[in-house]
Amino acid sequence: MTRLHLFTAIIISFLLGCNEAVDKSLVGDAVKLNSPYSNFSLYRYHIESSMAFGSGFTVLKILPFDEKCDYTDRDFFIFSDNSYPFFIKWKNKDTLFVKCLLDNGALANKQPIKTDIQKWKDWTFEVEYYSMYSSGTNGDYSIKSYKEDLNLVRFKSDRDALVFKKNELILELDTNKISLSTFKVDTFKSKTGLSFNDYKLRMNKNYRINDFKELQPFIVTNP
C-alpha cells in the first residue's frame, strides 16, 4: 500500500470507527438524485475533516424517497481511495453507473484508468475511475429559454446560445439557478485526463426543475 493510500485508510478508519454522530456543521455540498425506477433517492454530500489534517470525504447514502436524510448518521458509503463521484446515474432499480475522480490521480495513458464493481447494502455501483487534467469557469448567464433535443440540451441566454451534449453534462439544480459542468477527455504529451468547464445559469420565472427529470440531475438540498 502506498503512503498516500495508507494515510487515506487511516483517516477513513478514524472517521468510520467513531460511534459519535457526525457534526452537522461539517456537512456541505449536499445533493440528491431521485431514482426513475423506484421510490428511492441517493444523497451525495461532503464531510469536512474535524482534524487539522485531511480534506474530508464525499459520501453516498440511499434512502426511501419519503425518508428524511439524517446527515449526522454514519451509515453511508465511500468509494475506494476516497474518490469523488462526480457523475451518477441510475441504470435500474438497484444498479447505478458512476464516474469517479481519483484522489490525487495523475494523467494516464487512457481514461478511464480503471473500472470496478462495488456493492453497498442492496445497491450495486458500476464505477469508472478518472484523473483530472484541468478545470475552468465560463462565467454566469441569464437564461431566457431552454430545450432538449435527442442528444443535446440547449440554453438561450441574453448574449449566447449554449449547447451541451447530454453524455458530457453534469447538472445541479437549485430553485432559481443551475450549476452546470461539462467534461471530456483531453491529451497532454500523450497522457490523458478529464477537463471540466463550469457554468452558472440564472434561470427565469418559467424554469421548472421537473423539466430536466429525464436527465437525472442532482438536486441541491440543505443539510
Side-chain angles (χ1 to χ4, degrees):
M1 181 180 290
T2 67
R3 182 174 297 180
L4 174 62
H5 290 173
L6 177 60
F7 178 79
T8 301
I10 291 172
I11 302 305
I12 291 175
S13 297
F14 178 87
L15 179 64
L16 299 181
C18 181
N19 292 322
E20 295 181 1
V22 173
D23 183 346
K24 199 171 181 179
S25 68
L26 300 176
V27 176
D29 298 329
V31 295
K32 71 176 180 178
L33 177 65
N34 296 324
S35 171
Y37 305 104
S38 63
N39 293 322
F40 283 87
S41 295
L42 174 144
Y43 290 82
R44 185 192 72 187
Y45 52 97
H46 187 76
I47 303 174
E48 288 290 342
S49 174
S50 59
M51 297 173 286
F53 55 91
S55 58
F57 307 89
T58 296
V59 306
L60 300 184
K61 181 179 293 190
I62 298 175
L63 299 170
F65 183 79
D66 58 355
E67 183 175 329
K68 185 177 180 180
C69 183
D70 181 2
Y71 295 96
T72 67
D73 180 60
R74 291 180 177 271
D75 185 18
F76 48 63
F77 178 76
I78 301 174
F79 284 100
S80 300
D81 300 322
N82 196 25
S83 300
Y84 174 64
F86 67 90
F87 181 96
I88 308 173
K89 301 294 181 185
W90 291 88
K91 291 187 66 175
N92 54 48
K93 65 183 180 63
D94 52 18
T95 304
L96 299 96
F97 175 60
V98 184
K99 296 177 185 285
C100 281
L101 277 179
L102 288 165
D103 190 24
N104 294 317
L107 296 182
N109 292 326
K110 64 181 181 68
Q111 302 286 340
I113 296 172
K114 63 177 182 177
T115 61
D116 192 13
I117 301 291
Q118 294 191 254
K119 294 182 180 291
W120 181 67
K121 296 187 176 182
D122 296 329
W123 317 103
T124 299
F125 301 102
E126 298 178 357
V127 192
E128 295 179 347
Y129 293 90
Y130 296 81
S131 58
M132 181 185 286
Y133 171 59
S134 67
S135 63
T137 301
N138 285 280
D140 293 4
Y141 297 83
S142 294
I143 301 302
K144 294 182 177 180
S145 63
Y146 54 86
K147 68 175 182 177
E148 290 184 44
D149 294 335
L150 182 61
N151 297 311
L152 302 173
V153 182
R154 302 175 186 271
F155 295 90
K156 185 176 181 180
S157 76
D158 51 1
R159 65 180 189 271
D160 286 306
L162 306 173
V163 182
F164 304 102
K165 295 180 180 179
K166 290 182 179 180
N167 63 347
E168 298 178 351
L169 186 64
I170 307 163
L171 294 172
E172 292 189 8
L173 309 185
D174 209 338
T175 53
N176 58 4
K177 61 184 177 181
I178 295 176
S179 296
L180 183 152
S181 297
T182 62
F183 60 92
K184 65 176 182 177
V185 176
D186 272 336
T187 303
F188 178 73
K189 293 184 178 179
S190 76
K191 297 293 186 179
T192 64
L194 285 188
S195 291
F196 290 84
N197 284 293
D198 299 331
Y199 300 77
K200 298 296 183 184
L201 309 182
R202 297 189 300 275
M203 309 303 291
N204 64 19
K205 63 181 181 180
N206 296 319
Y207 161 63
R208 300 289 183 272
I209 286 179
N210 279 340
D211 290 345
F212 297 90
K213 184 178 180 180
E214 297 300 319
L215 297 176
Q216 294 194 43
F218 293 115
I219 299 172
V220 175
T221 63
N222 293 317

